[in-house]
Amino acid sequence: DQQVKQNSPSLSVQEGRISILNCDYTNSMFDYFLWYKKYPAEGPTFLISISSIKDKNEDGRFTVFLNKSAKHLSLHIVPSQPGDSAVYFCAARISSGSARQLTFGSGTQLTVLP
Amino acid sequence: ETGVTQTPRHLVMGMTNKKSLKCEQHLGHNAMYWYKQSAKKPLELMFVYNFKEQTENNSVPSRFSPECPNSSHLFLHLHTLQPEDSALYLCASSARPADTQYFGPGTRLTVL
């Protein structure tokens, strides 16, 4: 049973518009969430994160929103650029105890059209 | 050399071969990880090492054997693999197990 789900395998957006990538989780013990970006032939690179004590974190064009009651987070990219085309992975972890490993979603392929 | 490096980048092996994947991190981190990424699936954590000690083994078959001689190097020894083991194998490191992980480029493994 997947504890972190990215239900959209792909998303296409026009350059300059907003990209919204979604992620749902089932484990209410997760208290830290991360987004990674992966280009072909490269490993995932860390993009942005958010702690469960916050509902929003912004870094330049990237904003992550967390809705704990809905167990949902989203990544907003605005404005989208062709170089943002990549696979985006959502990940979650429990920060304390022995289970401090990341649980990843299956990824969403974002294509930004020029 | 910076970040996390992995060799080889591509590997084709038969089911009876023995091969090893190598990972090296130049970030001064203490925790290292092996992940498997199959097509259309989430990254699957295989092994976690913290200060050279294995702390997690997520029910990985014994045909995969990790080795961590020091905090900078991590190996994955492969023997008698199956075609379904074909995947991208990613290494990652972090300062501590709970910290943000930094990934290598991966080894694309094909088992014939």
Side-chain angles (χ1 to χ4, degrees), chain A residues 26-80:
Chain A
T26 57
N27 190 339
S28 57
M29 298 294 290
F30 288 140
D31 60 0
Y32 198 79
F33 304 87
L34 306 91
W35 284 95
Y36 281 82
K37 173 179 174 180
K38 184 180 182 304
Y39 292 118
E42 295 182 14
T45 54
F46 170 71
L47 192 57
I48 192 170
S49 62
I50 187 167
S51 165
S52 60
I53 61 173
K54 294 186 173 182
D55 54 19
K56 176 183 174 182
N57 188 25
E58 191 173 352
D59 182 2
R61 296 185 298 113
F62 302 91
T63 303
V64 56
F65 295 92
L66 176 63
N67 182 334
K68 288 188 291 293
S69 61
K71 295 193 181 68
H72 177 84
L73 66 156
S74 60
L75 175 68
H76 293 212
I77 307 173
V78 55
S80 301

Side-chain angles (χ1 to χ4, degrees), chain B residues 100-112:
Chain B
T100 300
Q101 295 175 21
Y102 295 83
F103 286 81
T107 295
R108 174 67 62 186
L109 174 67
T110 303
V111 181
L112 302 176

Side-chain angles (χ1 to χ4, degrees), chain B residues 3 9 33 35-37 42 46 52 62 67 69-70 74 76 80 86 90 93 100-101 103 105-106 108 111-112:
Chain B
R9 295 294 308 274
Y33 313 78
Y35 285 87
K36 175 184 178 182
Q37 187 191 8
M46 300 175 72
K52 303 188 297 177
S62 59
E67 179 190 0
N70 54 61
L74 186 63
L76 188 62
T80 59
S86 298
L90 290 159
S93 71
T100 300
Q101 295 175 21
F103 286 81
R108 174 67 62 186
V111 181
L112 302 176

Side-chain angles (χ1 to χ4, degrees), chain B residues 10-22:
Chain B
H10 300 271
L11 178 62
V12 180
M13 59 187 289
M15 292 168 61
T16 58
N17 291 157
K18 288 186 180 181
K19 296 286 184 185
S20 295
L21 310 185
K22 179 183 176 183

Side-chain angles (χ1 to χ4, degrees), chain A residues 90-110:
Chain A
C90 167
R93 74 164 191 238
I94 303 167
S95 297
S96 61
S98 61
R100 290 179 297 176
Q101 52 189 268
L102 290 180
T103 301
F104 283 85
S106 53
T108 297
Q109 171 70 58
L110 173 66

